[in-house]
Amino acid sequence: MGGRIIGMQHRLRTIGRIRLGTYEGRPKASEFFIPTSEFEQPIRGLADVYGGDVEQWKPQGDGGRQWRLMNPDLTSLDAILPPGRDPLDQAYEKWSRGGKQARCNGETVENLNRPCVCKAQWGPRFWENPDLPKDQACKLYTRMNLWLGEVEDIGTWLLETKGANAGAELPGFVDMVAGMFGNKVAVPITIWLVPGTGREKGKVKRYTKVSASIRGMTSGQAAARIMAAAPTLAELGAGDGEDRLAIESAKSDQPDYIAMIGVAQTRDTVIELWRKAKADRDVWTTTGKQIEAAAGARVKELERIAEAWKNVVTAWAGGDMDALHRTFTDFTRGRKIEEATAEELEAFLATIQAPEPPAEQAPTVQAPAGRAAEDVVIPPDDEIEDAEIVDDPEDVPVSEARLTPLNIAIGERGITSHTGRGSTAANKEAKAAWLTEKVGRPITSTRDLTERDADKVMKILQGMPITHPAKQTKAAQQEQQQDPAARRNYMLGLFAQIGITAVEEVLRDISAITGDIVTAAAPPTPEQVQAAIDVLESADGDDGTYDAMVSAIQEARAEN
């Protein structure tokens, strides 16, 4: 056998991907598997087995044209878990147009070797935080490499899902298979795309999830296989990366536990090394006290680093981690942030934190004639009545909670009344001109306002009549709750504001918002009409905001 490069991962080529959605102006979840490939022959081979239409298409982004199989009945695929390296990979990741910004295992950001950024900012279960900003936190990615036996080629097919259910179940399935068969044999399986429903904020949501099963084996046979394999299971691994190397190196003839503890990157690794050292009687007898002291000091250092890192992430404005890296490297003159000590992180934190307001100075005492200064009694602050301290809101930006009421009020007064093609730009220009006139300085959007500006603008708006024909007050809406026809007309008026007037487009978007199939033959129910109105009113006539909201709804449904 020829040579191999040591340290380089070797792999089979990727033939194609098994996709779970399409992109038609916006991401759209699919209810069936969509195999895609740069090569025509594998796709046509799958079509011969499963049926369906083979077509050329261009993925989103800068890639070239590819081939895909479209078959609405393709909800299951016979596949093979390949032998060798672990076929499943899972991580929290954040992507941008420039590529992958972060990859995290839920505890440590791998490209930073620091505690999870999202947990530091939004809590241990950050994905459930209602205040989580859109597109700021990492998302769960689960990827599984498979072979497709019907394809006349040897290579892998990548299945990728961002669903929470699949993210919890697929790793358990793959680990079970590894426990039964090890990693030296190929295991035949079947993957399924299973529909499901759930409730979110009182509404029923539809979703699909990926599931997997072993082909040709009952639960009883699987249990027997696990029991037979149990005595031969290998010792559990210590972990990945430097920590694993640190623990494994402790098996050498003359382990230097103190040195290995000094470079360990997690508390668990320190404890594992301490236990190994304690179990080694020869080592513990001679250097046990020093090892114990080194372990305690390293744990405290790691806790200090974790706390400093959390504070740095919290204080860093904007959330751009690449910019954080560059700024820290400039601050330390070339040192990477993942190599930083607690002292370096704390010193860096002091440079990015907002300065604390200076402490109030005690008033200077001028003693009356004939009396010493120390004899003059100074009243406490709560007794000083000749001055009123009031927070000045002049430079405080308007809060997010006030933006929606402001935009709705502006629309109701007919300031943004343009409809049809080009209405978005015209409405933005009209709103900016009106705000600029009323505030007395250049304003491009309501986000440029301060709290004081917002008070002034809202007071002016409340004194103006409601003239916009497509906007109604809450009272008027409540009067029409019992009139489905009026609600539909109101919804159509909101659609017209963002340039959507064709019936087919209206029905398409209601289907996208609600997750239900709505057609001319099966018109929307009052609940579906209201769901569309909720989204349209929040968009406030801005087609860009509306498209982003619909995309977010579909993405959330696909992830569930």
Side-chain angles (χ1 to χ4, degrees), residues 31-242:
E31 296 184 351
F32 54 91
F33 291 120
I34 304 176
T36 68
S37 176
E38 298 174 346
F39 312 104
E40 179 181 4
Q41 180 269 335
I43 299 300
R44 293 207 177 275
L46 289 173
D48 291 341
V49 176
Y50 293 102
D53 299 323
V54 176
E55 58 185 38
Q56 275 195 297
W57 73 298
K58 187 180 184 305
Q60 183 186 8
D62 300 327
R65 297 188 68 82
Q66 295 188 13
W67 298 84
R68 69 180 179 183
L69 175 62
M70 301 295 288
N71 180 357
D73 297 325
L74 191 57
T75 57
S76 67
L77 276 170
D78 288 342
I80 298 170
L81 278 182
R85 52 185 296 204
D86 190 345
L88 186 135
D89 178 72
Q90 189 176 52
Y92 289 111
E93 296 177 359
K94 183 178 180 182
W95 290 78
S96 67
R97 292 183 180 274
K100 183 165 58 180
Q101 286 192 320
R103 176 182 166 89
C104 175
N105 62 8
E107 294 293 337
T108 305
V109 183
E110 294 178 6
N111 53 328
L112 299 179
N113 202 22
R114 287 287 177 259
C116 176
V117 176
C118 299
K119 287 185 177 180
Q121 288 185 288
W122 300 296
R125 297 181 64 84
F126 61 88
W127 56 90
E128 296 178 351
N129 190 333
D131 299 324
L132 186 68
K134 185 179 185 304
D135 296 331
Q136 287 296 312
C138 296
K139 295 180 180 179
L140 174 64
Y141 284 80
T142 304
R143 302 179 179 92
M144 189 159 61
N145 287 297
L146 303 168
W147 291 350
L148 297 183
E150 293 83 1
V151 176
E152 295 181 356
D153 200 344
I154 297 179
T156 60
W157 293 74
L158 177 64
L159 172 68
E160 178 181 286
T161 174
K162 290 181 276 186
N165 290 303
E169 295 174 5
L170 289 180
F173 171 76
V174 171
D175 292 346
M176 179 193 70
V177 171
M180 294 165 60
F181 300 98
N183 62 353
K184 301 297 185 182
V185 297
V187 181
I189 67 170
T190 299
I191 56 173
W192 309 80
L193 199 54
V194 183
T197 58
R199 283 194 171 274
E200 181 179 328
K201 297 181 180 179
K203 296 181 180 180
V204 176
K205 300 293 183 181
R206 297 170 57 192
Y207 64 88
T208 57
K209 71 171 183 177
V210 180
S211 188
S213 63
I214 300 176
R215 240 183 311 144
M217 181 174 286
T218 66
S219 297
Q221 292 170 330
R225 180 83 190 203
I226 293 173
M227 293 176 65
T232 61
L233 288 177
E235 182 180 308
L236 291 176
D240 294 325
E242 295 179 6

Side-chain angles (χ1 to χ4, degrees), residues 354-372:
E356 295 184 1
E360 293 185 2
Q361 300 294 324
T364 302
V365 178
Q366 182 67 39
R371 295 183 61 185

Side-chain angles (χ1 to χ4, degrees), residues 1 14 19 41 47 59 61 68 73 80 122 182 269 281 308 362 414 441 507 534 553 559:
M1 185 174 182
T14 301
R19 299 180 185 266
Q41 180 269 335
R68 69 180 179 183
D73 297 325
I80 298 170
W122 300 296
T269 304
R281 293 186 177 182
R441 59 184 175 84
L507 296 175
D534 291 343
I553 290 170
E559 290 179 353

Side-chain angles (χ1 to χ4, degrees), residues 531-547:
I533 288 175
D534 291 343
V535 174
L536 289 161
E537 285 183 336
S538 298
D540 192 34
D542 188 321
D543 57 352
T545 301
Y546 171 77
D547 287 341

Side-chain angles (χ1 to χ4, degrees), residues 448-523:
D448 295 339
L449 300 173
T450 64
E451 286 289 339
R452 174 175 290 179
D453 295 334
D455 291 338
K456 179 179 180 180
V457 168
M458 185 57 79
K459 186 174 181 179
I460 295 172
L461 290 168
Q462 289 172 345
M464 297 170 61
I466 297 176
T467 59
H468 197 313
K471 293 287 183 180
Q472 301 180 16
T473 62
K474 289 286 185 181
Q477 290 180 13
Q478 291 172 358
E479 291 175 3
Q480 292 186 350
Q481 288 298 327
Q482 304 302 320
D483 187 352
R487 299 301 289 165
R488 284 197 297 271
N489 290 335
Y490 177 53
M491 176 191 68
L492 293 175
L494 295 176
F495 270 119
Q497 283 188 49
I498 56 175
I500 297 177
T501 56
V503 175
E504 311 84 53
E505 294 179 347
V506 170
L507 296 175
R508 175 204 65 196
D509 281 22
I510 295 175
S511 299
I513 291 169
T514 63
D516 302 318
I517 298 176
V518 179
T519 64

